[in-house]
Amino acid sequence: MIDFHSHILPSIDDGSKSIDESLQLLKILKRQGIDKVVATPHFYANHNSIEEFLEKRRLSYESLVPFLTDDLPQIRLGAEVKYYEGISRLENLNKLCVEGSKLLLLEMSMRKWTAYTLRELTELASQGRVTVVLAHIERYLRFQPFDLIYELVDSGILIQANADFFLSFGSRHKALSMLNRNLIHFIGSDCHDLINRPPKMMDAISYIKRKAGDDMLLQMNHFADTFFIK
């Protein structure tokens, strides 16, 4: 199973604060059935250039490498890219895609999206240089008409949901409904630390198994694997 959204790299953003904490998070994820984890530290274009971010990410990852063992999940490097109007003109945007793929994880604004934003998202999706994935979709639902999600998916945009979406009593039925309607394509822990935002993938996986069956998880895993260069 793939954890598509995490902040496990040490000392790069508001996630893991140390190598030890990163290793503890990886061990927990392995116990929760995760084989691959996408490390998605925050990228803000107004804070760093892409080159500066990639260098920071490289140094963070390389500090962790000597301690990684075969019994831990495989790490794929990526980014959680903060959307801003005009991002499609950012040079080398594709360098922020998840390693070995064209998947670009975008964190959207917590408000009703403008017509410009929607047009830019669909144009990005149609260009072919990246495959847009909207991060933690559950955070935006109350700001957008629900039919808009169908429109975005129909335009080639993919959707990531956090494990918590499947665990909260107030949201888990909607999460399952969206999953069954092919409106959720990836699940992520969005884990940041061991205490306040730990991984909860096992509980989400168990809920999906119980309500939708093993085939749904196998289908999601197979779907995710199709995007990665072998």
Side-chain angles (χ1 to χ4, degrees):
M1 189 74 189
I2 298 174
D3 177 356
F4 195 80
H5 184 164
S6 75
H7 297 269
I8 56 158
L9 293 184
S11 306
I12 187 172
D13 62 4
D14 59 342
S16 170
K17 294 299 183 285
S18 67
I19 291 171
D20 181 65
E21 186 170 30
S22 295
L23 292 172
Q24 292 301 316
L25 289 169
L26 287 166
K27 288 175 183 176
I28 291 170
L29 285 169
K30 186 64 176 181
R31 291 198 297 269
Q32 294 185 356
I34 301 304
D35 312 301
K36 296 175 188 166
V37 55
V38 182
T40 52
H42 290 286
F43 171 79
Y44 303 104
N46 59 333
H47 290 176
N48 294 117
S49 68
I50 290 179
E51 291 71 25
E52 288 168 335
F53 169 80
L54 293 177
E55 177 64 7
K56 288 180 180 179
R57 191 185 67 180
R58 182 187 70 80
L59 292 173
S60 175
Y61 175 65
E62 288 186 356
S63 73
L64 188 59
V65 166
F67 304 95
L68 298 177
T69 54
D70 292 341
D71 59 336
L72 294 175
Q74 176 190 349
I75 297 174
R76 296 261 188 172
L77 298 177
E80 181 180 4
V81 180
K82 182 68 175 179
Y83 174 83
Y84 64 91
E85 293 191 346
I87 194 171
S88 60
R89 297 192 296 273
L90 184 61
E91 192 175 352
N92 295 325
L93 181 63
N94 60 303
K95 289 186 176 181
L96 297 173
C97 289
V98 178
E99 179 184 10
S101 80
K102 294 168 70 174
L103 298 168
L104 182 75
L105 186 66
L106 281 185
E107 180 182 26
M108 302 301 295
S109 301
M110 298 278 287
R111 61 175 183 267
K112 184 174 173 59
W113 301 332
T114 67
Y116 180 98
T117 292
L118 297 173
R119 187 166 60 252
E120 186 167 37
L121 286 176
T122 54
E123 285 176 359
L124 256 182
S126 67
Q127 286 171 6
R129 62 180 177 134
V130 302
T131 299
V132 175
V133 183
L134 301 187
H136 39 57
I137 191 66
E138 63 276 8
R139 296 188 186 177
Y140 320 126
L141 292 178
R142 66 191 178 98
F143 301 105
Q144 320 303 330
F146 193 75
D147 285 350
L148 176 62
I149 310 303
Y150 280 105
E151 293 174 22
L152 293 175
V153 170
D154 285 345
S155 73
I157 291 169
L158 302 177
I159 305 293
Q160 180 259 314
N162 283 359
D164 281 339
F165 192 31
F166 291 88
L167 301 178
S168 168
F169 182 78
S171 66
R172 62 190 183 191
H173 298 299
K174 175 168 279 193
L176 190 66
S177 174
M178 289 181 65
L179 186 65
N180 284 325
R181 285 184 279 175
N182 197 35
L183 297 179
I184 293 175
H185 306 98
F186 307 102
I187 299 176
S189 66
D190 200 3
C191 63
H192 280 62
D193 54 49
L194 298 167
I195 305 298
N196 298 310
R197 298 178 71 179
K200 297 179 183 177
M201 291 293 284
M202 180 182 289
D203 292 338
I205 290 168
S206 296
Y207 178 76
I208 294 169
K209 277 186 177 181
R210 195 165 67 251
K211 297 295 184 178
D214 288 341
D215 286 349
M216 177 63 77
L217 290 169
L218 290 172
Q219 179 182 318
M220 291 183 72
N221 250 6
H222 176 72
F223 180 78
D225 279 337
T226 64
F227 289 93
F228 292 101
I229 299 168
K230 298 297 187 279

